[in-house]
Amino acid sequence: MEGPTYWKIGDQISLRDAFGRALTSLGSIRDDFVLFDADVAGGTGAKPFVQAFPEKVVQFGIAEQNMMAAAGGFADTGIIPVVTTFAAFGTMRAHEQFRTAIAYPGRNVKLCCSHIGVDVGPDGPTAQMLEDLATIRAVPGVTVVVPADANQMLQALPAILDHPGPVYMRIGRSPAPVITPADSSFNIGKASRLRGGNDVTLIATGVMVARALAAAENLASDGIEARVINLSTIKPLDKEELLQAAIETGALVTAEDHSVLGGMGSAVAEFLAETHPVPISFVGVRDRFGKSGEPEELARLFGLTAEDIQKAAKSVIVRKKA
Amino acid sequence: MNDLRELARKIRVLAIEAIYCARSGHPGGSLSAADILGVLYFEELRVDPTQPRWIDRDRFILSKGHACPALYAALALKGFFPAEDVRSLRKIDHYLEGHPDVKIPGVDAPSGSLGMGLSQGLGMALGARYGKRSFRTYVLLGDGDMQEGNTWEAFMAAGHHKVASLTAILDYNGLQGEDLVTKQMNYNPIAEKLTAFGWNVQEVDGHNIDQLRAALAAARSECDRPSFILARTVKGKGVEFMENQQVWHGSSTLTNEQYQQSLKGLEA
Ligand SMILES: Cc1ncc(C[n+]2csc(CCOP(=O)(O)OP(=O)(O)O)c2C)c(N)n1
């Protein structure tokens, strides 16, 4: 069986579309997983899989708490439930079911949620999820994966299926530029360094990775060499890569389409505070709810653009220890 | 009666206009709820657009929050804000959010995440009883709400506490996000279940104003049971090419042609 077709660098592809492609291609070569859906297969991108493999889908209706706890029980029988819904409903509404029926017994469930960050756009605050990394990251023993582009998604899905235990994967909704080549590998727990530089490190996740790369380009024209790291696993952290960045560049910017409270930036800061403290600037949503608007407009309003990352980089460099 | 039909038609027109201008939103479930919203806002609810936060107003919660284009239309026609504002639905510099938000004049509860509306309404009704206030509370539910466990906890509690000032109306159009209710997750038969939970259950045609009016009146005269009105509706009602069509459930971008066609259909 052939693998999925990758996209070209520079294509604009929604990660949920990539999720659908990844699911469908795996559906014909693996028999170890089923899809759990709560009436949102169109929204999460899983629809092509539902159409191709209706027998591999369990439909729960709009009842996420039931779906989540049922997934815990189902996993107990040796088949992997890939639980899909919007992040608000998967990581918050059914949070305790995830914690107690899945994470606590260490069950092999993959929670794959779309509708994250302000990238969701016009549906507004109830659908935008800015706290999922914070809530899920706090649960012991959970692996948290955030692919940055469509090509990474194609590799992330088989990787999380092969990774034992509970995994949360965050799936973007609006089109995002493809930045990783088809042949790059995806390893859970490993960050990838996309650009070298010793003046500052930009650590980004999800849609923010492409923006961090753009920011680094612009910084270079101002004579600042920024290292760019795609942190596609938020938990466990790639400690080696982070430590090296802190030691070698002495200043960091974290960038995420998530609240600055408890998200990826917090994870990085928690680790470095105990190992090698350096000044950090956090790019993310500042303790507020989202609102309706187009994704790019929201990125501007909430300070999530490449320019915001540039500004943060310049300000954090000033705070570097002499 | 003719007036109410005309008002419901205007709700539909404004809702479609809002969704067209926003280039996204949920037309199907907005159109199915238009007659119910019309009867509620123009006959049943004791509300005052000049004092949206009046403490003794009747409360209304659109639990199926994705149908807010129709709610905003009803609120605008009632005078809570200018009708032109609905053209700015979902825009970044505007207050009409893609799902209900209590910052919006006339909106009593946030929704958009299905399954929380009835509990919020239950709380308001219990608060009215506790504070000796006479207002009534109305909650409009969708099929999706009926599948959420949270809703069943509210059904149980409202029956147990005999919350007679609470009326839940189900916009039963038979279609949900991706497919038929009977295919995704059938919760029928509903009348028997809710009767057993201590509710007064009535069934009406949700596009028939007289039937809606009568059921609401009967609910008002209940003394010790909450009321449930199963309103049978048609998803996309009033715009022929949308009626009973799954694709018009959500986040739809209407072409200019479809928009004109919708308006023409609603003129008739
Ligand atoms: C808790 C929750 N889960 C999923 C969704 C996504 N969603 C929005 S509308 C919808 C379908 C709703 O169907 P129904 O209640 O029948 O709406 P109607 O047909 O009246 O528009 C779904 C699944 C949601 N808003 N909230």
Side-chain angles (χ1 to χ4, degrees):
Chain A
M1 208 52 221
E2 276 177 44
T5 320
Y6 286 84
W7 283 276
K8 290 195 305 293
I9 302 279
D11 282 356
Q12 291 279 335
I13 307 294
S14 156
L15 270 79
R16 64 175 174 175
D17 293 341
F19 177 63
R21 183 180 287 190
L23 269 177
T24 312
S25 92
L26 290 171
S28 53
I29 53 173
R30 305 179 61 142
D31 254 335
D32 59 347
F33 72 95
V34 296
L35 184 85
F36 277 31
D37 174 43
D39 194 39
V40 286
T44 58
K47 192 107 172 201
F49 179 85
V50 174
Q51 283 161 342
F53 305 102
E55 73 287 356
K56 294 189 184 198
V57 179
V58 187
Q59 179 57 248
F60 282 86
I62 310 169
E64 296 81 7
Q65 300 172 76
N66 182 43
M67 172 167 72
M68 194 71 76
F74 193 97
D76 209 44
T77 69
I79 301 170
I80 306 169
V82 174
V83 178
T84 54
T85 180
F86 299 175
F89 318 138
T91 70
M92 271 216 159
R93 181 191 212 77
H95 186 259
E96 197 200 357
Q97 282 80 0
F98 178 80
R99 167 187 176 264
T100 301
I102 294 173
Y104 174 50
R107 285 170 167 160
N108 200 14
V109 174
K110 313 307 165 190
L111 173 59
C112 300
C113 292
S114 65
H115 290 61
I116 50 164
V118 294
D119 163 81
V120 170
D123 277 344
T126 57
Q128 294 163 351
M129 189 54 184
L130 296 167
E131 305 100 317
D132 58 321
L133 293 177
T135 61
I136 288 285
R137 195 169 77 74
V139 180
V142 179
T143 298
V144 181
V145 170
V146 187
D149 71 351
N151 281 351
Q152 261 208 321
M153 173 61 76
L154 294 182
Q155 299 194 327
L157 187 61
I160 69 168
L161 287 174
D162 289 339
H163 187 84
V167 179
Y168 172 58
M169 180 161 73
R170 210 176 190 235
I171 306 169
R173 181 170 183 266
S174 57
V178 174
I179 49 172
T180 43
D183 57 2
S184 48
S185 63
F186 185 88
N187 297 308
I188 291 175
K190 279 262 151 262
S192 43
R193 198 181 301 183
L194 303 180
R195 186 185 169 114
N198 283 335
D199 295 330
V200 61
T201 304
L202 313 180
I203 301 169
T205 194
V207 284
M208 300 303 284
V209 178
R211 293 175 191 161
L213 280 172
E217 290 281 317
N218 294 340
L219 287 167
S221 57
D222 292 340
I224 297 170
E225 287 306 324
R227 182 177 297 191
V228 178
I229 291 174
N230 171 10
L231 197 66
S232 48
T233 310
I234 309 295
K235 194 180 177 184
L237 286 172
D238 185 341
K239 295 183 172 168
E240 219 173 303
E241 184 69 32
L242 292 177
L243 200 53
Q244 224 177 331
I247 293 167
E248 293 172 7
T249 71
L252 313 176
V253 175
T254 61
E256 60 198 309
D257 183 7
H258 183 277
S259 171
V260 293
L261 306 179
M264 177 273 274
S266 305
V268 169
E270 284 160 13
F271 165 63
L272 290 174
E274 284 191 332
T275 51
H276 188 90
V278 293
I280 303 181
S281 236
F282 303 94
V283 172
V285 177
R286 297 256 158 198
D287 199 19
R288 60 170 289 193
F289 286 104
K291 83 171 299 312
S292 291
E294 293 306 318
E296 320 79 65
E297 294 175 328
L298 291 165
R300 253 175 276 133
L301 181 68
F302 286 87
L304 304 177
T305 65
E307 293 72 53
D308 294 307
I309 299 174
Q310 269 161 253
K311 259 190 245 153
K314 287 182 177 167
S315 78
V316 83
I317 288 171
V318 174
R319 290 163 49 212
K320 256 204 224 197
K321 292 189 192 91
Chain B
M1 164 84 180
N2 278 339
D3 251 348
L4 270 184
R5 270 195 198 297
E6 175 56 15
L7 281 161
R9 190 189 71 81
K10 282 190 180 149
I11 291 175
R12 291 190 163 93
V13 169
L14 272 180
I16 289 291
E17 198 173 336
I19 293 166
Y20 172 68
C21 293
R23 310 185 61 78
S24 74
H26 298 72
S30 299
L31 293 170
S32 68
D35 298 292
I36 300 167
L37 288 165
V39 177
L40 283 172
Y41 274 96
F42 294 96
E43 254 184 44
E44 185 71 11
L45 294 175
R46 195 175 59 170
V47 292
D48 177 357
T50 67
Q51 317 172 61
R53 294 263 143 221
W54 173 38
I55 187 83
D56 282 319
R57 72 191 182 279
D58 283 346
R59 305 301 197 271
F60 173 72
I61 297 170
L62 181 70
S63 191
K64 41 170 278 183
H66 58 278
C68 64
L71 171 63
Y72 299 162
L75 290 172
L77 291 169
K78 186 81 180 173
F80 281 92
F81 44 79
E84 306 89 80
D85 284 13
V86 304
R87 297 174 147 270
S88 303
L89 172 72
R90 297 182 159 226
K91 298 275 195 287
I92 192 156
D93 48 2
H94 205 79
Y95 65 98
L96 290 182
E97 293 287 343
H99 286 86
D101 183 315
V102 294
K103 287 197 294 284
I104 299 166
V107 173
D108 287 329
S111 58
S113 180
L114 293 162
M116 298 186 201
L118 193 62
S119 293
Q120 294 184 68
L122 166 69
M124 291 170 183
L126 287 170
R129 177 192 287 175
Y130 186 81
K132 300 193 169 47
R133 296 188 182 277
S134 64
F135 70 79
R136 298 183 52 77
T137 304
Y138 299 81
V139 181
L140 183 57
L141 302 162
D143 300 308
D145 288 303
M146 298 297 286
Q147 294 165 350
E148 290 285 358
N150 193 155
T151 304
W152 290 88
E153 293 172 25
F155 281 142
M156 181 163 56
H160 174 82
H161 289 296
K162 304 187 191 310
V163 188
S165 70
L166 181 64
T167 298
I169 304 161
L170 169 61
D171 179 1
Y172 185 69
N173 57 39
L175 279 173
Q176 50 187 96
E178 303 278 323
D179 213 326
L180 295 165
V181 172
T182 48
K183 276 188 77 180
Q184 293 297 83
M185 186 53 60
N186 195 1
Y187 55 79
N188 287 302
I190 198 66
E192 291 86 333
K193 291 175 190 163
L194 290 183
T195 307
F197 274 48
W199 285 62
N200 167 31
V201 182
Q202 308 176 71
E203 190 170 331
V204 300
D205 171 348
H207 302 305
N208 183 315
I209 304 247
D210 285 334
Q211 288 186 22
L212 284 166
R213 183 183 278 150
L216 289 166
R220 241 182 289 121
S221 63
E222 269 292 332
C223 306
D224 59 1
R225 286 185 302 176
S227 289
F228 184 85
I229 302 172
L230 192 170
R232 291 191 181 274
T233 59
V234 173
K235 200 155 176 169
K237 176 75 178 180
V239 175
E240 212 179 324
F241 68 91
M242 290 186 181
E243 289 191 0
N244 288 315
Q245 296 302 311
Q246 190 65 53
V247 290
W248 292 104
H249 165 71
S251 274
S252 314
T253 304
L254 272 83
T255 63
N256 185 268
E257 207 181 3
Q258 287 165 334
Y259 173 56
Q260 298 301 340
Q261 204 182 332
S262 312
L263 294 186
K264 230 159 113 206
L266 287 169
E267 261 165 35

